[in-house]
Amino acid sequence: MKKFITIWHLQLFAEPNTNVTTDAGLSVENKIHYDKTLIDEATPYLVHDQFGQKRPIPKNGGKRIEFRKFANLPKATKPLTEGVTPDGKKLTATSIEAEVSQYGDYVCLSDVLDLTAIDPVVVEATKAVGSQAGLTLETITRNVLQSGTNVFYCPEVDADGKLTGVKPTDRSELTAGCKLTVNVVKRIVTMLKAINAPKIDGKNYVCILHPHCGYDLTCDPKWEDMHKYSQTTEMFEGEIGKVAGCRFVETSEAAIYTGAENDCPEGLAVYAPLFLAAGAYGVTEIEGGGLETIIKQLGSAGTADPLNQRSTVGWKATKTAEILLEMYMVRAECCGEFSPDAEMN
C-alpha cells in the first residue's frame, strides 16, 4: 500500500474537540444559545467547505487528520474459465495526512455580561465573531484549493461571445475578453467526464465562483436560469444555477488576484473559479469539535481586571484542508466585465 503523507508543522493546542462555551459561570441555556449563534453565523460563509470529504476532529485524537482514497480497479476483460476461480484483486489505498492548526480571535465588552439571561450585547458580539470565524475558515480552505496545479486559461471572446483566436497559456496573457462562458464550462466538464471524475450530487459537477464571474456567465445567452430546475433540485448554499452538467455556487470570498506580484495583466484582476468533482479535497468539520465559543465573564481575569470592568466573547477553531486528487479539480482563470475595478481578496 502506497502512503503519501503531508505534514504541516503547526502550533500545539489544547482540547481540540471542545465545542462548548468555556466559562463555568454560564448556564446551560446560555451555553447552547451562544454556541448555536456562533455556528449559525459562521456556516453560511463556508461555501468552499461544502463539497469536500469531511473529517471530524476526534476527542483526544491528536492533531492529525487522515483522508483516504481507494484506487480504481482495472478492467476485468479476460473471460472466466469454466469451473476455475480467478485470482482476485487487492484494494490499494492512498493515505494523506494533514495536521490541523488553530485559529481564533475575541472582542472585549464593558460591564455588560449578565449571566442570568441571554444578554443581547453578548449575542450581537457572538454574531460578529461568528461571521469573522466563518470568513477566516472559508479563506483557509479557499487558499488551499487555489494551490492546485490543474489550470485552464479562458480564451478570449468578442462582444458577441465569439472566439477571437487568442488562447492564453498563462495568467499574464489573459485579456479583458477572456471571460467565463458556457463554452468554457462545457470544455472543463468534458475534461472531468473524460477521466470518469465522480459527480458531487450524482448528476452534476460544481463550480465555486465570484459574483463578478457569475455576472459574465449569466449574461451568456446559453445560460440556463435557476428557476428552470429549482423546484425539483435542492440548492447548495449560494447556488445560482446550472449549465452543461455543472452547478454554480457564488461567494464573494472566491479568489481574486491582482497586481504584477501575482502575474496579472496590467490593470486587470484575474478570477479563479473552481470546478470540482466528488473526492477532490478534504476538510475538517466545524461542528463536533472544530469550532468553539469562548465567553469570559466579568471578574474572570482576576487582578488583571481589578474593577471587574471587562468581559470577552471569542472563538477558537481547529482547521485544515487538503487537496486529495488534483485531477478532480480544475481552476479556470479568467478576466471579465469587472476586472478593471476589482480588488484582491
Side-chain angles (χ1 to χ4, degrees):
M1 180 179 71
K2 296 182 180 179
K3 187 172 184 179
F4 302 93
I5 299 178
T6 300
I7 299 177
W8 300 352
H9 298 286
L10 307 172
Q11 62 180 352
L12 292 172
F13 56 90
E15 299 180 1
N17 64 314
T18 304
N19 188 31
V20 297
T21 308
T22 55
D23 194 309
L26 291 176
S27 69
V28 173
E29 175 193 6
N30 285 18
K31 287 181 181 182
I32 294 173
H33 181 83
Y34 294 138
D35 284 339
K36 187 176 185 300
T37 298
L38 184 82
I39 291 175
D40 285 348
E41 289 297 318
T43 298
Y45 295 102
L46 301 177
V47 173
H48 284 81
D49 276 26
Q50 283 189 89
F51 312 108
Q53 180 186 135
K54 293 181 174 60
R55 286 290 181 271
I57 299 174
K59 185 175 182 179
N60 301 322
K63 297 192 299 178
R64 292 185 179 180
I65 298 292
E66 183 179 89
F67 302 96
R68 297 173 66 83
K69 169 63 180 178
F70 287 94
N72 293 329
L73 294 173
K75 296 178 181 178
T77 57
K78 184 178 179 180
L80 295 175
T81 301
E82 184 178 353
V84 177
T85 301
D87 294 333
K89 298 294 189 298
K90 293 183 179 180
L91 289 175
T92 301
T94 300
S95 174
I96 299 179
E97 283 189 8
E99 290 193 14
V100 292
S101 187
Q102 192 174 51
Y103 306 88
D105 204 357
Y106 68 95
V107 295
C108 290
L109 307 176
S110 300
D111 298 11
V112 295
L113 185 57
D114 180 1
L115 297 182
T116 62
I118 300 296
D119 192 302
V121 178
V122 179
V123 171
E124 291 305 314
T126 304
K127 290 180 179 179
V129 298
S131 296
Q132 181 195 37
L135 288 168
T136 300
L137 301 178
E138 170 78 345
T139 300
I140 291 164
T141 301
R142 180 198 72 189
N143 290 350
V144 170
L145 300 187
Q146 284 293 316
S147 67
T149 57
N150 197 8
V151 186
F152 180 90
Y153 298 99
C154 295
E156 185 182 69
V157 294
D158 61 21
D160 295 324
K162 297 180 180 179
L163 293 171
T164 65
V166 175
K167 298 179 179 180
T169 57
D170 61 48
R171 185 179 295 173
S172 65
E173 296 178 0
L174 292 168
T175 70
C178 294
K179 298 180 179 181
L180 183 66
T181 64
V182 171
N183 284 337
V184 167
V185 173
K186 290 180 177 179
R187 286 280 300 275
I188 295 175
V189 167
T190 300
M191 291 166 58
L192 293 172
K193 286 180 177 179
I195 60 171
N196 295 318
K199 297 175 181 178
I200 286 178
D201 61 353
K203 298 179 180 179
N204 302 279
Y205 300 111
V206 169
C207 174
I208 301 174
L209 75 170
H210 194 277
H212 291 174
C213 289
Y215 173 84
D216 290 326
L217 184 60
T218 55
C219 285
D220 189 321
K222 298 179 182 178
W223 171 259
E224 291 181 11
D225 199 13
M226 183 68 183
H227 71 83
K228 294 183 180 179
Y229 72 99
S230 60
Q231 293 182 351
T232 59
T233 304
E234 182 180 355
M235 291 189 296
F236 296 126
E237 186 74 41
E239 186 173 357
I240 61 169
K242 73 173 181 180
V243 68
C246 185
R247 298 170 70 172
F248 291 86
V249 178
E250 274 188 349
T251 172
S252 60
E253 296 304 305
I256 303 176
Y257 298 99
T258 60
E261 67 276 12
N262 289 306
D263 297 323
C264 294
E266 184 176 359
L268 295 175
V270 173
Y271 304 95
L274 287 168
F275 289 79
L276 303 167
Y281 65 102
V283 295
T284 48
E285 292 187 274
I286 66 165
E287 294 193 63
L291 178 64
E292 70 173 293
T293 318
I294 303 172
I295 297 179
K296 299 294 184 180
Q297 69 185 66
L298 297 172
S300 61
T303 57
D305 183 20
L307 299 182
N308 292 349
Q309 294 173 298
R310 293 185 299 277
S311 60
T312 59
V313 177
W315 64 276
K316 186 168 64 175
T318 48
K319 175 72 175 179
T320 191
E322 183 77 6
I323 296 174
L324 303 180
L325 288 167
E326 289 270 4
M327 66 191 73
Y328 286 1
M329 181 171 61
V330 180
R331 184 176 78 247
E333 297 204 355
C334 60
C335 294
E337 187 74 23
F338 291 90
S339 282
D341 304 313
E343 297 180 357
M344 187 172 180
N345 62 359

